[in-house]
Amino acid sequence: MASKDYYQLLGIDKKASKEDIKKAFRKLAHQYHPDKKGGDEAKFKEVSEAYSVLSDDKKRSEYDSYGRVFSGGGSQGPQGGGFEGFDFSQFQGGADFDVDLNDIFGGFSDIFGGGRGRQARGRDISVDLELSFKESVFGLTRRMLITKDSTCSSCTGSGAEPGTKTKTCPTCNGKGQVVESRRSPFGTFSVSTACATCNGRRVVPEKPCTTCKGSGVERRQEEITVVIPPGLDNGQVIRLAGFGEAISGGATGDLYVKVHVRADQKFRKEGYNLVTDLSVKISDALMGSEYQLETLDGTVSLKVPPLSSTDEILRMKGKGVPTERGKRGDLLIRVRVEMPQKLSKEAKELLLKLKQEGI
């Protein structure tokens, strides 16, 4: 039997899916990686070994059935697999070899946050936008003035003074990347990272831009046009890709606009429908009448049919929230029959006659 419980090492049960296994390993790898402060090399090797078995269908089946792995993987010695059985002698220098970590363990590049060619990215930013209820229903276009790191207006991000040239970066010799040696449980690896001098752009300005000091980025106010689609609810967020903060040599981040909708005293939303209440006199509820009703489209006439009762719903088609197909929901009017606070002598006599007629 295997001396280690791989499921227990990863903190999962035996019914865990491949995605659950990957998530568990990813979390523990970040926690125990020896290059991180407070890392634990022994623990890292254990969870790596468990992942190498449980992420492979054949190895996992053997482990579940026999408590060990026969096809490579686990802690059964050199043929048992895992990383302990990996032969590093094929690389120059034995355990301290000079290769890119992502070339050997490409599957781990997303786990350790690496990945060759991943472009640096500016910071995402968020702003709050307050709307009236009517604006949230029909949508609108709103201009906003925000302060953020933007591409330099003078050099358009090149970092060079307008009219001057750029030259090959002396640090990375125009490669845009530099090679750094990093220690790991498997040896010392050479990892490519973006050049700090040119930020991966491969060139540097002969004369830095006086506006941004050669960074290609300046902090300034910028007017943003935000298109608010109809029907947004309070708390919803609009993402504007590429409208966040700029970064030298990288992609611009995103802007997130969080919508705050002021409550309306008359109307509320139910899906694509609008709902409002209408107070109706008891005589109008019995006999029927016509009321002038304020809607988001203006004042309209509404016929209250005879014998209407409290909580009865009257519907006005096409007066609700615009839909994605260009149509609109309905306006639902809930009848509220008003009860009189007091009755005159004549009213009492009339009600008595109605009562005698069984009404």
Side-chain angles (χ1 to χ4, degrees):
M1 295 291 290
S3 59
K4 301 173 184 176
D5 186 335
Y6 292 145
Y7 293 100
Q8 186 176 10
L9 281 172
L10 295 181
I12 56 178
D13 58 41
K14 291 187 177 182
K15 295 182 180 180
S17 65
K18 278 192 172 183
E19 188 63 24
D20 294 331
I21 294 170
K22 182 177 180 180
K23 287 181 180 179
F25 172 60
R26 185 171 185 168
K27 178 181 178 181
L28 294 172
H30 276 291
Q31 180 180 349
Y32 295 129
H33 196 281
D35 284 348
K36 296 187 69 172
K37 186 178 180 181
D40 189 320
E41 182 173 338
K43 286 283 189 181
F44 180 79
K45 293 178 72 175
E46 284 186 339
V47 297
S48 298
E49 178 182 312
Y51 177 75
S52 71
V53 172
L54 299 183
S55 61
D56 185 285
D57 291 340
K58 185 177 180 181
K59 295 176 184 178
R60 183 179 181 182
S61 178
E62 292 175 352
Y63 176 75
D64 289 343
S65 299
Y66 307 107
R68 59 172 295 170
V69 177
F70 301 96
S71 56
S75 56
Q76 310 303 321
Q79 300 304 318
F83 297 112
E84 295 178 0
F86 193 88
D87 182 12
F88 291 107
S89 62
Q90 58 184 300
F91 301 101
Q92 184 179 2
D96 294 325
F97 48 90
D98 185 16
V99 293
D100 193 319
L101 176 64
N102 294 311
D103 287 342
I104 301 176
F105 302 114
F108 290 136
S109 63
D110 60 332
I111 295 171
F112 298 144
R116 179 182 291 180
R118 181 173 294 178
Q119 189 180 27
R121 189 170 178 275
R123 189 171 66 94
D124 293 338
I125 56 178
S126 63
V127 294
D128 295 294
L129 178 62
E130 187 173 288
L131 302 177
S132 68
F133 183 81
K134 183 175 181 179
E135 288 173 332
S136 74
V137 169
F138 294 115
L140 75 159
T141 299
R142 177 72 62 83
R143 292 181 178 178
M144 303 180 66
L145 196 63
I146 60 176
T147 302
K148 64 187 184 75
D149 290 342
S150 302
T151 301
C152 178
S153 56
S154 297
C155 67
T156 64
S158 69
E161 184 70 15
T164 63
K165 298 180 179 180
T166 59
K167 61 181 180 180
T168 300
C169 176
T171 302
C172 65
N173 294 320
K175 295 180 180 179
Q177 294 182 331
V178 294
V179 178
E180 297 179 351
S181 295
R182 296 183 181 179
R183 184 179 62 84
S184 82
F186 320 116
T188 301
F189 296 89
S190 296
V191 181
S192 296
T193 59
C195 176
T197 302
C198 67
N199 293 305
R201 290 183 294 184
R202 303 183 179 185
V203 293
V204 292
E206 289 185 346
K207 182 180 179 181
C209 173
T210 54
T211 301
C212 65
K213 313 302 181 187
S215 68
V217 174
E218 65 171 325
R219 192 160 188 84
R220 68 170 188 266
Q221 280 192 331
E222 192 170 326
E223 188 177 73
I224 303 295
T225 300
V226 183
V227 178
I228 308 297
L232 284 189
D233 292 321
N234 183 55
Q236 282 193 266
V237 176
I238 301 171
R239 173 177 171 264
L240 298 178
F243 282 84
E245 293 202 327
I247 187 174
S248 180
T252 305
D254 297 336
L255 171 65
Y256 292 87
V257 181
K258 186 173 183 180
V259 173
H260 301 274
V261 181
R262 295 193 297 271
D264 192 273
Q265 294 182 349
K266 293 183 178 180
F267 301 96
R268 61 186 180 280
K269 286 173 57 180
E270 288 186 1
Y272 287 114
N273 294 328
L274 293 175
V275 182
T276 189
D277 293 335
L278 177 65
S279 295
V280 177
K281 294 179 180 180
I282 190 170
S283 57
D284 291 337
L286 291 171
M287 302 295 294
S289 184
E290 187 169 317
Y291 278 76
Q292 296 300 303
L293 179 67
E294 290 291 335
T295 72
L296 295 183
D297 296 280
T299 304
V300 297
S301 295
L302 173 69
K303 289 184 178 181
V304 178
L307 303 179
S308 295
S309 58
T310 291
D311 289 335
E312 184 172 342
I313 301 296
L314 307 179
R315 183 184 299 267
M316 296 188 71
K317 290 187 174 295
K319 295 294 183 180
V321 181
T323 69
E324 296 175 355
R325 297 182 178 181
K327 297 182 179 180
R328 290 180 63 178
D330 300 332
L331 174 61
L332 307 180
I333 304 100
R334 186 170 63 176
V335 175
R336 295 294 194 183
V337 179
E338 295 179 349
M339 298 301 294
Q341 298 297 317
K342 61 181 181 178
L343 295 173
S344 64
K345 181 179 178 181
E346 292 79 6
K348 289 180 181 180
E349 291 175 352
L350 289 173
L351 288 176
L352 183 59
K353 289 181 180 180
L354 291 175
K355 184 177 181 180
Q356 289 172 351
E357 294 180 7
I359 299 177

